[in-house]
Amino acid sequence: IGTEDAALELVEDFHALAPMIAELDARDRQIIHWRFVEELTQKEIGERLGVSQMHVSRLISRLLGRLREGMLSSH
């Protein structure tokens, strides 16, 4: 009996996200990388960019919103 493989879903999501992330400008890609690959805090990202943690929070929210919209429109 087959079951759903959550890991397969993640691979599918990654393949859908990769082109959308590639379309982001360099700073936005860097923010995504720092937050979700290097797992830096918003405060640490803000220190690297020279902006406040609150500004980083807004940037990440905006970026995730754009990516979410792209995922919804591609399915």
Side-chain angles (χ1 to χ4, degrees):
I1 298 175
T3 60
E4 297 225 2
D5 186 348
L8 182 57
E9 236 176 86
L10 288 174
V11 169
E12 290 172 354
D13 288 346
F14 174 76
H15 284 292
L17 270 174
M20 287 184 271
I21 291 173
E23 291 175 3
L24 298 174
D25 65 36
R27 184 179 94 152
D28 289 347
R29 280 195 312 273
Q30 185 64 64
I31 291 169
I32 294 291
H33 179 82
W34 282 334
R35 183 68 189 103
F36 298 104
V37 177
E38 293 186 31
E39 298 182 349
L40 298 181
T41 66
Q42 292 178 358
K43 181 178 183 221
E44 292 168 326
I45 295 168
E47 289 169 356
R48 289 185 181 194
L49 293 175
V51 300
S52 70
Q53 176 273 326
M54 183 57 69
H55 189 69
V56 172
S57 176
R58 289 185 191 115
L59 290 170
I60 291 172
S61 292
R62 179 182 52 83
L63 287 167
L64 294 179
R66 284 175 52 193
L67 294 173
R68 191 175 299 115
E69 284 177 24
M71 288 289 289
L72 292 174
S73 67
S74 70
H75 281 99

